[in-house]
Structures are given as structure tokens and as C-alpha cells.
Amino acid sequence: MASLYSTFSCGPIAIRYLLDESTGQIGLELIPAGLEAQLATPRTAQPWDVYDASCADAVLEPARTVDPLVQIKFAHDAYSGGFAQGHTMQRSPSTAQFRFAGQTHESHRSHHSVVSRLQHPLDLELEHRLEWQDGDETLQVQTTIRNRGLTAVSLEMLSSFSLGNLSPFCPDDAPGRMVLHRFRSGWSAEGRLESRSLEELHLERSWSGSAVRTERFGQVGSLPVRQWFPLAAVEDQVVGVTWAAQLEWPGSWQMEVHRRYDNVALTGGLADREFGHWQKALVPGETLRAPLAILTCVEGDVDAACARLVQRLERLADEQPAVEQDLPITFNEFCTTWGDPQHDKVVRIARHLKGTPVRYFVIDAGWYKRPDATWANGHGDWQPSAALFPKGIEATAEAIRRQGLIPGLWFEAETCGEHSTAFSLIDHLLKRDGIPITAKGRRFWDLNDPWVRDYLSEKIIGLLERGSFGYVKIDYNETIGIGCDGAESQGEGLRQHLLGTWQLFDQLRERLPELVIENCASGGHRLEPSIVRRTAMSSFSDAHESLEIPIIGAALHRLIPPRQSLIWAVLRANDSRRRICYSLAAGFLGRLCLSGDIDQLSDEQGQLLRHGLDLYTQVTPVIKSGRSQLVSQHGLSWRYPKGWQAVLRESDGQLLVVVHTFAAAPDEIRLPLPGDRPWRVVGELTDAGAASVEQAGRVLHCPAAADFSGRVVWLKAG
């Protein structure tokens, strides 16, 4: 039977550790501070639906048990019962053999940590470190295993976090009240919220507790946001409390909702042997750290929980170069030249942008291509094309700087294309079963090879230094898949390789402290915290000109800070005023990135663009730091949306409202405004009638607009 072992406080979060002394298992429970009185007393025995509990050979399972603080599995141990093998490695005999050995709490100035130690008979030690700073509304978890014994052990699973006893506000198995929230992702379709009840997911406990129920999901490979974002939340909709967890890891990962008894656990970490082909031999004296996890618990819904996780990343973004602090506008020529940048074209556009609020000018893919190759399959040698840049690309960068702009350059640093010399350097490339891993004309550098590190340092950092580039776009357009050779398992080979990916980004920052780094992976396939916080901005998507751009941009407000979400606004010479407003307004959902026929716009189009750019520079404080509310009325389809959507973002007495209409646009839109104070309109971008405030400044009225129109309204309180 579990009892309360210790409690701590992280601002709005009450931290509780539950200990079962009979088994030595300790678990973590989080609740919103102030709701302790609403905790339910769990039932001590489960109801039997079929068998008579007095039957002599009946085995009574408990109603609720402690969810272990760390989930682990060794290859030499038996697997769990309850029909679990192949579906989950949780609650293994390996986990049960680790018993609670002690806990320490340390506070140093504003930093706090709770370290729990678990001990195994083979002299293995698990350390679970929970940390936070004063003022935080999230918790950071790091799990470490140390082999202090005399023999090696083979790991098949190690969790980063395990958040248990969901929901503590219900005495039984919480029928009809628990919902799992997670976020789907696909190429040019990132961030779709999926909310399903545990009943829909078939996660109701079995009548006797004999069977395990589990929903394990994640992704395998080196594109961590290829199918799901590494973020999940469980909500008790009756009491109105949501628990959320997020992983910081650029490779194979998994999360799992697991139950056998009344209580539910949300667990996550490295993809295990069953899911991610991962096995690790931990030799005597060796230490392994699982990926970092971020936890929160909020009295509110999934939006409230996501807002806390995003606000943490907003604070970390303050560590980026000083030039980033006012959120400069970017121009990227990719949708202008489509992989064929030339000195004269680039300089002509740069001259056109002189004197505008645009600050970054990025030369995208293709600057290296040979006559016999395209931008997509000729990269890896990183020799600027003499045909495209006859005076050298450094001269082009200098010409960009003379227009008052900061030049940027594109690299796909971790791969090489089939038409490059690098493609044949197989001794320095990743292999699987001894064969170079090849995916659609791409191969992958071995980032733990010293020769490769030196090569990339010279080719990338050297060129950036010689050309005085102040911005670099690091793209990544394929996945390694299940893993690579070089370690005990292909999954472990992948894990070790991706530590080299971190080292690549860290080296860029160390060598060039003021360099602005953009994270791109076919758009948004790397929108996970460990890469997001290492970079100034992330390409939100590869949706360059499609109609769903504002839908994706709005969805990502739940997942990354808008100040780091780089959104394409591609303008064409034949665009109507309505289309220009639609494209520009989407850029106000994050960091505005212009492209297209920017130097071919008419005077009228140019004036509309300049008005939009000036308005953008005025509202950047709201984009930089605020709280977002999404109102989605566009139906199920993102590709063929109908209706409208709005994003309201509030910060320090200012409010930014971005409205888009789609097919079958409404006659008018009325939006209740946040708070209990009146608002007034101080700026607007629209091709339709002006917006106004009604009902004493509490409701925004947007008059009728045509299908597929965009509107930006800037309001101030009072």
C-alpha cells in the first residue's frame, strides 16, 4: 500500500512522491498547488465482474499500485506478463528489482533539485533528478543509470520519465473522464492536435486487472517530428487538470500510456528494443543518461499545459545572439530562384530590399551545384559554383552587406548527394550491415568520425567566416531510419550518432557566437526542444505557397515559440491584394520570411507590402512574448479548409489578432476579446473593410471578407 513519502513545491505545481515500502517502489505524482483537498481516497480492492471473490483459488489483483519512478528492462530478465510482450516493456521484473535507496533535496539560490536513488542487487544505480528554478511552471527530469558492479548488463529499455497515479482525483478507474492529447505531424502538415478518450483508445482496465493496456507511439529515425511531436498530455476533464510531458531528443523516441490497474501512467524516453531497435551494453564503470524530459501539471486544458512548455522555450530563446532580440524579418530566395541562385539575381533583390525592415538575406540551396547536378543531389562537397558566382560567393555576401542586410547561407551539413565526390567517401559514411545507408540519392556523414568533424568545420565554418556570413540555415532532408552500425545495436548506433548532431550545432555556436542559426529539416521535422533551443529560428514547414500555411502556423503556437517559428510568405507579381494580405498575415503568426517575386511587384503591391512590414515591426513585442488563444472553425481538412480561424496573442496590454478566412467564408466574424478591460484598434492589415470593437471594447468585429483572405488587427488596452 502506497504512502506519501515527501512533498515539494514548484510554484503552481505540488510535487508528491509515493512509496510502497513492501515493494520498495517509489513513484512521482504531480497536482496543481491548492487542489490537495480534492484528492480522492483510492479504493483498496477492485470490483469483480464475473468471479465470486470468495472463490478459494481467486487471485485478487490490487485496485491501484505505485507507478515506478523509472522504467527499465535488462535482456537477461524475464518479460512482463499480462500479454504485454511486443506491446510494452514497462513494469518488467528489471524495474521491480530496483528498490528505493534514498532521496536528497538541494536548493542553491533560485535552483532546486530532488534526487531519488534506486538500487539493484547487481550494484546498479538509477538516479532520478527532478529540477526547477524559482518562477518556473515546468519541471526538468534527467534519468541516469550507473553500473557500479563487476559485470556488464544489456539494456533494452530506459525511460526518461514516468508520471504516475493518473488521476489522483478519482477513487476508481476514472470512467469517461480521461483524454490523451498528442500532436500528429507530416511533411508540410505539422502540429495537428489529436484528442481521444482512453475509452476510444481501448485503454479501459480489464475486469480483473490481469491484462496490460497500453498505447505506445513515437518515431524511429533521425527526424524526430516525422509522425508525432514528442509531446503528450493526459487530461482529467471532470476536475479540469492536465498533465503534460515533452522529450528533448532528435532521434528515435517513444511515449506510452500504460495501465493495468485503476491508475494510468504516462511514460517516455528512448525508443526501446521492441520499438526502436535499441540495445545497450552497460559495462562496469559506465554511465548512461536518458534524454531530458520536461513535465508540467496545470489546472486547465491542453492549451494551458502547452503554453507552459512553450514559455520555457521562450525564456531559453533569450540566449540567442543580440541581433535576434527584435525578431528581424528574413528574405530567403529559394522560392524566387528555386535552387538556381546567381550573383546578379541575388544582388538585384538585395538592392530592392535596401531600406526596408528586412534584415536577413539567405542564399538557399543550389549555390554549390555543378552543371551535371541539381541542388537536391549535388551537395556535400561545398564548393561554390563558379558559374553562379564568378567573383566568388564571398563577393556576393559582401554585396548583400553593402545593402544593409546580413547575408545567410544554406547547408545540409549531415548528408551528401549522389552527384558529389563526398558520396563516394564510404569510409566516412554511416553504414547498416556494412553497406552505406542510402535514401533517395542521399548518404549520411558519420558525425563521430574525427575526419568528418574536421571536414565539416572547414567546409562550413570556414566558408561562413571567409564570407562574413551572419546567418546559416542548417537543413536535413532524410532520415537515417532504424539506425546504423558501430555499436551494440543499430538503435544505439543512431543514439551515438545523434550526439554528434548536437556537437555540430554546439560547435557552430562556440566558433561563431553571433551567428544566427536556422533549424530546418524538410521544414518542421526537427521541431523538438533540443534542436529548437540550440537555434535562433526553425523553419515551421515546407508549405511554401499552399493555402494551409496559416493553419500550420497557428497549430504550432502550441508547440514552439512564435518568435522561433519561421513562416513563409511567398509573394508573386500576379498576386491580388487579397492574396498578398493572406500570405503576409500568416507571417504574423511567427517570424516573417519573405520570398518570391519581391522585386517585380507593382507600386500598389509594394505599398501594401511595406505597410505590412512596418506593422510587423511594431507588433514584434507581442510575437516575442505572449499567450496565444486559437479559434479554429475551418473543419477537418487542412488542404481544403472551409470557414475561418483566428489567433489572439496577448502581451503587456497589447493584443495581436490574426484572422484568416477559407472557402465558404462567413458574412462577418465577432471575436470576444480576452480579459475584462476594453480594447481599441491601433493598426491593421486587410484588403476588406476595417475591423472595429463593439460592446464597450470587449468584442472585435471583422466585416465580411472574401474567401481566402487574411487580416491582422493590432489592439491596445484602454
Side-chain angles (χ1 to χ4, degrees), residues 222-225 229 250 320 410-411 414 471-476 501 505 508-509 516-542 560 564-568:
S222 52
L223 292 175
V225 187
F229 278 75
Q320 293 299 318
W410 178 96
F411 287 91
E414 296 153 81
Y471 184 115
V472 66
K473 177 178 178 178
I474 301 295
D475 208 342
Y476 189 66
T501 294
F505 281 99
L508 281 168
R509 173 65 60 237
V516 175
I517 305 173
E518 177 190 338
N519 159 40
C520 183
S522 289
H525 281 119
R526 268 184 170 171
L527 296 180
E528 63 83 25
S530 80
I531 301 295
V532 169
R533 66 186 178 90
R534 282 176 162 83
T535 54
M537 284 174 282
S538 293
S539 181
F540 89 119
S541 181
D542 263 357
I560 63 172
Q564 291 184 291
S565 182
L566 192 67
I567 299 177
W568 291 93

Side-chain angles (χ1 to χ4, degrees), residues 70 183 194 210 218 241 274 335 343 357 441 463 488 604 648 676:
V70 180
F183 295 88
E194 177 184 281
S210 298
V241 171
E274 292 179 341
C335 294
H343 174 84
L463 180 53
E488 305 91 316
E604 180 185 5
L648 296 81
D676 56 1

Side-chain angles (χ1 to χ4, degrees), residues 79-80 83-89 214 216 272 274-275:
Y79 290 84
S80 301
F83 320 106
Q85 190 174 176
H87 288 171
T88 181
M89 295 186 127
T214 183
R216 182 171 59 185
D272 61 29
E274 292 179 341
F275 190 80

Side-chain angles (χ1 to χ4, degrees), residues 326-327 329 353-358 584 588 592 594 605-621 623 654 656 682-685 712 714:
D326 61 348
L327 312 191
I329 298 169
L353 293 171
K354 183 178 182 178
T356 71
V358 176
L584 286 177
F588 281 71
L592 182 57
L594 298 173
Q605 292 171 318
Q607 289 173 3
L608 182 59
L609 169 60
R610 184 55 190 257
H611 171 66
L613 299 183
D614 289 341
L615 180 61
Y616 185 87
T617 61
Q618 292 175 295
V619 302
T620 50
I623 297 171
Q654 299 188 75
L656 180 65
V682 293
E684 187 172 17
L685 172 69
V712 178
W714 178 30

